């Protein structure tokens, strides 16, 4: 939408986390398929509304479609586990012995379609579960809450600004959230003349963007934002000639997976969240603003965004974790000139945002996105992502 003041962006009606309707909609297609299997029918009823069973089922649904090349072989163990969970077979061993038998192959093929049908909803269930967001929790307002924390830490430019908003459609007032359009390249919909397609590895070794990247890494951790992958950032470049463009800024979007209570002791449950032990760097301004932040100010400023007391308390705990990591010299404090002397490509890192950006830079250097690739290759890549 476009606001009266001329700002362009996206409006999302106020929403809460509840995927029951999506589970039920998908199951309707398969009720006849499982008819006569009483145990399975009972399990399907649980899958419609039981959060714990939805979480357990989602844990074994493959991230990629099983019907892709080699997908069936790679995910066969998960299919057996799902068949057992649904009561098709009494245990995984019997599922393994029976699913691929020739006379059972029609059932196996249909079962694969059934699992693929739930891939997207299961992924969303998995993300929210790992984040610590529960059924009934507000989702859309988390974008606004993260903008609020960015303001407190004086790094508001790192995010596409989000504010509560009401709009009127056909005389009906709808409450929701307005997120301003981010500036830069969107990796999810590249076109052949996009600046990102003209980039090489040197394009990413800019002090401004690298500094913003490590600040965003801290901001995301403090807010518990577990879903900051490359597709949830925009990339602002200067220049328009192949190999000459420079990354000068980044902005995070889609912050609705923030402010949960993720279990930081289990690495496989925190997805993209970077633990302080892996951050490596923090800027002096970010550390100063973290040091000035108080628990009372945090609670007061986040009181209007439908977050629970536990979720706000978890933010404060993560603030203290970053401070402690700095005190123990696990995170190095750097000044504004650090990246001029230490380009991103020369530093040692892994499992953090610097590594993520370096991977993107490598892809550009190899021609997977850069301008010296053929139009056909770039267009093919754009279609793929």
């Amino acid at each position: 939408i476009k606001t009266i003041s001329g700002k362009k962006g996206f409006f999302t009606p106020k929403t809460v986390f509840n995927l029951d309707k999506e589970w039920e909609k998908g199951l309707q297609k398969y009720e006849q398929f499982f008819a006569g299997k009483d145990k399975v029918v009972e399990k399907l009823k649980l899958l419609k509304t039981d959060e714990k069973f939805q979480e357990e089922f989602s844990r074994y649904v493959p991230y990629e479609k099983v019907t892709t090349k080699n997908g069936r072989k790679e995910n066969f163990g998960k299919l057996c586990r799902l068949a057992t969970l649904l009561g098709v077979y009494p245990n995984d061993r019997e599922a393994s012995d029976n699913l691929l038998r020739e006379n059972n192959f029609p059932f196996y093929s249909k079962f694969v379609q059934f699992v693929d049908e739930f891939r997207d909803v299961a992924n969303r269930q998995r993300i929210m579960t790992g984040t610590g967001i529960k059924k009934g929790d507000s989702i859309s307002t988390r974008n606004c809450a993260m903008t609020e924390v960015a303001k407190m830490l004086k790094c508001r430019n790192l995010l596409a600004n989000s504010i509560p908003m009401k709009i009127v459609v056909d005389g009906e007032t709808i409450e929701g959230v307005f997120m301003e359009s981010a500036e830069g390249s969107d990796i999810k919909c590249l076109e052949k003349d996009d600046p990102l397609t003209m980039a090489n590895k040197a394009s990413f070794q800019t002090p401004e963007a690298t500094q913003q990247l490590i600040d965003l890494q801290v901001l995301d951790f403090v807010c518990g934002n577990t879903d900051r992958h490359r597709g949830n950032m925009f990339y602002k470049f200067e220049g328009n000639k192949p190999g000459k463009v420079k990354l000068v800024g980044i902005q995070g979007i889609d912050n609705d997976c923030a402010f949960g209570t993720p279990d930081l002791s289990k690495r496989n449950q925190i997805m993209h969240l970077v633990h302080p032990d892996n951050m490596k760097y923090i800027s002096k301004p970010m550390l100063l603003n973290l040091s000035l932040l108080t628990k009372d100010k945090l609670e007061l400023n986040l009181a209007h965004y439908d977050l629970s007391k536990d979720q706000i308390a978890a933010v404060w705990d993560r603030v203290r974790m970053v401070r402690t990591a700095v005190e123990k010299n696990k995170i190095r404090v750097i000044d504004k000139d650090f990246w001029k002397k230490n380009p991103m490509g020369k530093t040692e890192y892994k499992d953090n945002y610097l590594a993520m950006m370096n991977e993107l830079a490598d892809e550009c250097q190899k021609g997977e996105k850069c301008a010296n690739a053929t139009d056909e290759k770039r267009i093919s890549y754009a279609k793929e992502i």
Side-chain angles (χ1 to χ4, degrees):
I1 64 173
K2 186 176 181 179
T3 66
I4 295 173
S5 61
K7 292 181 178 179
K8 295 180 180 180
F10 303 90
F11 178 81
T12 304
K14 190 172 182 179
T15 55
V16 298
F17 175 50
N18 189 343
L19 297 176
D20 289 352
K21 288 183 179 179
E22 294 178 58
W23 285 108
E24 186 170 2
K25 182 180 178 181
L27 289 168
Q28 288 175 352
K29 297 181 181 180
Y30 293 92
E31 287 178 344
Q32 187 62 38
F33 171 58
F34 288 115
K37 299 179 182 292
D38 293 341
K39 287 185 178 180
V40 180
V41 172
E42 289 302 312
K43 293 288 186 179
L44 292 181
K45 290 180 181 178
L46 284 178
L47 200 53
K48 290 180 180 179
T49 57
D50 189 287
E51 187 177 10
K52 289 185 177 180
F53 191 66
Q54 289 169 349
E55 290 176 6
E56 187 175 12
F57 184 86
S58 298
R59 194 179 308 149
Y60 297 99
V61 174
Y63 285 96
E64 302 295 333
K65 281 192 174 183
V66 182
T67 47
T68 57
K69 186 178 180 181
N70 296 324
R72 296 187 178 196
K73 182 178 180 181
E74 292 175 1
N75 294 300
F76 183 67
K78 290 184 176 180
L79 291 175
C80 292
R81 182 89 283 265
L82 292 172
T84 303
L85 283 174
L86 288 174
V88 178
Y89 298 102
N91 54 61
D92 293 3
R93 180 62 182 270
E94 288 202 27
S96 178
D97 290 343
N98 287 282
L99 270 180
L100 286 179
R101 285 185 179 178
E102 187 174 348
N103 60 331
N104 287 338
F105 195 75
F107 173 85
Y108 171 77
S109 298
K110 191 73 174 179
F111 189 68
V112 165
Q113 293 177 21
F114 166 77
V115 173
D116 281 346
E117 180 82 25
F118 288 99
R119 184 174 62 89
D120 289 341
V121 65
N123 279 344
R124 273 176 290 173
Q125 185 84 45
R126 217 168 1 218
I127 289 171
M128 294 304 181
T129 299
T131 302
I133 296 175
K134 299 297 183 183
K135 186 183 293 186
D137 281 351
S138 174
I139 297 298
S140 51
T141 52
R142 289 166 194 265
N143 279 290
C144 302
M146 198 157 170
T147 292
E148 186 66 41
V149 175
K151 285 162 57 179
M152 284 187 275
L153 296 179
K154 294 181 171 53
C155 58
R156 183 172 173 176
N157 63 310
L158 294 180
L159 302 177
N161 188 48
S162 297
I163 58 172
M165 180 180 283
K166 293 179 181 179
I167 65 173
V168 179
V169 180
D170 296 331
E172 179 186 359
T173 300
I174 302 174
E175 188 177 355
V177 169
F178 174 72
M179 184 177 74
E180 294 178 18
S181 296
E183 292 186 68
S185 300
D186 181 358
I187 198 172
K188 291 178 289 189
C189 57
L190 290 174
E191 298 190 11
K192 65 179 183 180
D193 58 348
D194 191 286
L196 186 59
T197 68
M198 303 179 190
N200 57 22
K201 191 157 187 173
S203 301
F204 292 85
Q205 295 179 0
T206 55
E208 303 92 341
T210 310
Q211 185 59 62
Q212 289 181 29
L213 194 66
I214 66 166
D215 284 345
L216 181 61
Q217 183 173 256
V218 174
L219 175 64
D220 279 339
F221 178 78
V222 167
C223 295
N225 182 16
T226 61
D227 198 32
R228 178 73 65 217
H229 51 79
R230 295 186 303 183
N232 275 347
M233 289 190 281
F234 271 55
Y235 308 85
K236 187 176 181 180
F237 288 90
E238 285 184 352
N240 57 7
K241 293 182 180 180
K244 300 296 184 182
V245 298
K246 294 291 183 183
L247 182 65
V248 295
I250 57 171
Q251 270 195 322
I253 62 169
D254 294 347
N255 309 301
D256 48 12
C257 289
F259 299 102
T261 53
D263 185 351
L264 298 178
S265 67
K266 297 181 179 180
R267 296 290 302 167
N268 64 338
Q269 288 193 356
I270 60 176
M271 297 177 290
H272 302 288
L273 201 67
V274 178
H275 193 278
D277 290 352
N278 291 330
M279 286 181 182
K280 302 301 182 185
Y281 305 102
I282 189 171
S283 66
K284 285 183 178 179
M286 176 61 80
L287 179 59
L288 174 62
N289 292 319
L290 275 178
S291 300
L292 294 175
L293 189 62
T294 66
K295 185 178 181 182
D296 288 343
K297 182 178 180 180
L298 193 66
E299 291 176 345
L300 179 64
N301 287 23
L302 293 180
H304 311 291
Y305 296 106
D306 301 318
L307 301 175
S308 70
K309 291 182 179 180
D310 288 343
Q311 290 167 345
I312 296 176
V315 178
W316 181 245
D317 287 343
R318 291 189 290 267
V319 168
R320 293 191 300 173
M321 287 179 67
V322 175
R323 291 178 181 174
T324 300
V326 172
E327 291 170 2
K328 293 183 177 180
N329 296 317
K330 291 183 177 181
I331 302 179
R332 181 179 176 182
V333 184
I334 59 175
D335 59 31
K336 63 179 181 179
D337 295 323
F338 177 82
W339 296 112
K340 294 179 181 178
K341 304 172 184 177
N342 301 274
M344 182 180 71
K346 294 183 180 180
T347 56
E348 295 182 3
Y349 43 77
K350 64 178 182 178
D351 299 328
N352 59 22
Y353 287 11
L354 291 172
M356 178 171 61
M357 191 63 68
N358 202 44
E359 289 172 3
L360 179 59
D362 284 340
E363 289 175 12
C364 288
Q365 184 68 33
K366 293 174 184 176
E368 295 180 22
K369 299 180 181 66
C370 72
N372 58 24
T374 64
D375 285 352
E376 290 78 10
K377 187 172 183 179
R378 290 202 306 271
I379 292 171
S380 174
Y381 176 78
K383 288 180 178 178
E384 177 187 336
I385 61 171

